[in-house]
Amino acid sequence: MKSIRGTTSGETLTARDRRHVWHPYSSIGSELPLFEVQSARGVRLTLTDGRELIDGMSSWWSAIHGYNVPALNAAAEAQIARMSHVMFGGLTHEPAVRLAERLVEITPAPLETVFLADSGSVAVEVALKMALQFAAASGHPSRQRVLALRGGYHGDTFGAMSVCDPVTGMHTLFAGTLAPQIFAPRPNCRFDAVWDPTDTLALEQLLATHADTLAAVILEPIVQGAGGMWFYHPDYLREVRRLCDHHGLLLIADEIATGFGRTGRLFACEHAGLAPDILCVGKALTGGFMTLAATLATREVAETIASAPPGVFMHGPTFMGNPLACAVANASLELLLESPWQQRIAALERGLCEGLALCRELPPVADVRVLGAIGVVEMREPVDMRVLPGAFVERGVWVRPFGRLVYVMPPFVMEAPDVAHLTSAIVDVLQHTARR
Ligand SMILES: *Cc1c(COP(=O)(O)O)cnc(C)c1O
């Protein structure tokens, strides 16, 4: 038995954490600030020292209803009393079936089948695998690659990483292991600009050259998230759909960040009025309560995969269809769809636009953009992560920048005064502490 040293002797939680615990994109022994959360309710996080923070992150796009939501807690408690988990091989249950039906109902029409995965990255792995099995079953076994966009982010597992931006996705580090994919330039034309038809020229040429080795195109519709928080034109998406049809490729839409209302539409594909062949959702699926994701596919994709050896789709996580997560997802979707979410997103969009407008005047700021309940301040230089998180905490808000991006995506239930507090804290911090 290893002895666990110093777990009680008045040592802070942070000190104990630093000895043993990995955090996202962190190093053990890192000196970067860490804040101890005691509880969370509504749009506020309470630290163990009693300070309250207005949450600008929705715990990475997920906590759309805020925290400690009675309806979600009740759904979880009711499901725990029945069963929190049971294997999904050869067994089924009401929470999973109801969730699948609901997802089919609210997503674009031809998506009719649902694979329940345990995280966003796994949902992307499943989507890629479906595309490859579909190509093989359609008599195109040489179509094993995928075209992705620069500036994209699709997750941290190896398949997902292979379609992330090659630079921010650290492709050189894992060069020998990552599947070599094809990359088109980042869409350039802004969401609200006049459409520039030359924006898809490079993509068009790449597809003309490589289509016979490609199974699919994968992208984040309208909003590229962790790869750069960039909003691009709906006509770009329409053109990709047209080109995929022309070359016989599947279109995979990764709506793990954008799904469930964040951009002002229930799904970002709706901005372009189109449907993908495969759709990934995650993050806000359980309202941030716990991990769950899903990959939806058309009946054509499902039937084609079933029509050729091995005759089944080759994936099946241990915790697939976890009843507890499905029950909470059902409650979260009900809560969302019965709420005036469109008005809430529109109000958040106005609040973020007004509140962040002042950032445009600041010399270190390169760009300010807002779409739906997403507000982005792009800086000229990377921000100082030793200083900024603490500066936000001092002003009573939780904002976690990365690289040159200071961004917020508040819970949909945030009220106007809290949005104003959040945005004025950002203006204040960037004014006083942005420089390294
Ligand atoms: C977060 C995210 C993922 C990965 O989801 P995880 O649950 O973190 O594995 C994939 N794609 C997009 C667009 C995301 O925002």
Side-chain angles (χ1 to χ4, degrees):
M1 265 263 238
K2 285 204 291 186
S3 68
I4 306 295
R5 292 149 296 160
T7 47
T8 51
S9 58
E11 223 184 353
T12 65
L13 188 66
T14 298
R16 288 160 54 201
D17 178 292
R18 290 201 195 284
R19 193 172 308 127
H20 297 295
V21 184
W22 293 99
H23 285 263
Y25 290 91
S26 73
S27 60
I28 293 285
S30 159
E31 300 277 294
L32 290 176
L34 202 53
F35 302 93
E36 302 174 9
V37 191
Q38 178 86 283
S39 62
R41 176 175 298 277
V43 302
R44 283 172 166 72
L45 313 179
T46 302
L47 301 184
T48 50
D49 63 14
R51 284 185 289 179
E52 278 200 351
L53 308 180
I54 296 170
D55 174 38
M57 304 305 292
S58 297
S59 288
W60 281 333
W61 314 83
S62 66
I64 54 176
H65 312 295
Y67 300 88
N68 220 326
V69 179
L72 303 191
N73 291 353
E77 279 159 20
Q79 186 56 43
I80 286 170
R82 286 183 211 106
M83 61 185 170
S84 59
H85 185 63
V86 61
M87 66 185 279
F88 211 48
L91 299 174
T92 193
H93 44 78
E94 168 76 17
V97 176
R98 190 147 55 90
L99 178 58
E101 288 171 345
R102 192 32 97 68
L103 287 172
V104 167
E105 192 184 302
I106 65 176
T107 51
L111 299 164
E112 285 189 35
T113 68
V114 182
F115 188 104
L116 295 166
D118 23 22
S119 73
S121 298
V122 172
V124 170
E125 298 291 332
V126 164
L128 296 173
K129 210 187 260 190
M130 278 181 178
L132 266 57
Q133 274 199 242
F134 175 84
S138 316
H140 302 291
S142 61
R143 292 186 164 216
Q144 295 205 349
R145 294 197 294 182
V146 173
L147 184 142
L149 306 186
R150 291 185 185 269
Y153 175 78
H154 298 286
D156 289 351
T157 52
F158 273 88
M161 258 198 298
S162 78
V163 289
C164 287
D165 181 271
V167 179
T168 58
M170 289 297 189
H171 282 202
T172 48
L173 190 57
F174 304 109
T177 309
L178 285 177
Q181 313 289 17
I182 304 287
F183 288 91
R186 187 184 82 156
N188 198 39
C189 189
R190 299 176 78 108
F191 178 80
D192 49 6
V194 176
W195 169 238
D196 169 10
T198 64
D199 208 18
T200 47
L201 281 184
L203 172 79
E204 207 170 328
Q205 276 168 6
L206 285 166
L207 287 175
T209 309
H210 298 289
D212 55 350
T213 68
L214 290 172
V217 171
I218 187 170
L219 49 70
E220 298 155 275
I222 305 297
V223 175
Q224 291 190 306
M229 301 298 296
W230 177 246
F231 314 147
Y232 64 86
H233 201 285
D235 277 359
Y236 185 96
L237 202 53
R238 288 191 195 99
E239 190 59 12
V240 176
R241 176 72 271 184
R242 189 187 69 75
L243 290 165
C244 282
D245 291 343
H246 177 74
H247 291 289
L249 307 182
L250 297 180
L251 175 58
I252 303 171
D254 177 352
E255 295 232 23
I256 291 165
T258 51
F260 310 111
R262 179 59 65 180
T263 67
R265 301 293 182 97
L266 207 47
F267 296 95
C269 280
E270 295 172 23
H271 288 285
L274 56 77
D277 303 289
I278 298 178
L279 172 73
C280 302
V281 294
K283 288 198 162 98
L285 179 55
T286 66
F289 193 99
M290 61 190 293
T291 181
L292 183 67
T295 307
L296 285 86
T298 61
R299 195 159 294 282
E300 189 200 349
V301 168
E303 285 176 354
T304 305
I305 288 172
S307 72
V312 294
F313 178 58
M314 298 298 284
H315 211 93
T318 305
F319 284 95
M320 184 170 179
N322 175 246
L324 185 55
C326 290
V328 176
N330 284 320
S332 174
L333 290 177
E334 205 164 300
L335 197 58
L336 174 68
L337 297 170
E338 284 172 2
S339 75
W341 63 270
Q342 291 99 328
Q343 287 99 299
R344 283 180 178 162
I345 303 294
L348 285 168
E349 188 173 61
R350 280 193 303 275
L352 293 172
C353 276
E354 282 168 27
L356 296 176
L358 288 169
C359 291
R360 289 208 170 83
E361 317 297 319
L362 305 175
V365 171
D367 188 40
V368 178
R369 47 189 182 263
V370 174
L371 177 64
I374 313 166
V376 182
V377 182
E378 184 174 330
M379 310 297 290
R380 297 186 196 282
E381 305 288 335
V383 303
D384 190 342
M385 287 301 282
R386 293 163 305 180
V387 175
L388 249 68
F392 286 122
V393 167
E394 275 165 30
R395 286 158 179 86
V397 301
W398 179 241
V399 178
R400 186 166 171 81
F402 75 90
R404 294 187 296 117
L405 299 164
V406 179
Y407 66 104
V408 287
M409 62 287 251
F412 297 174
V413 295
M414 189 177 286
E415 306 272 1
D418 286 341
V419 178
H421 184 137
L422 179 63
T423 52
S424 64
I426 292 172
V427 175
D428 195 34
V429 165
L430 296 186
Q431 206 156 12
H432 292 106
T433 50
R435 295 219 176 266
R436 285 170 85 89

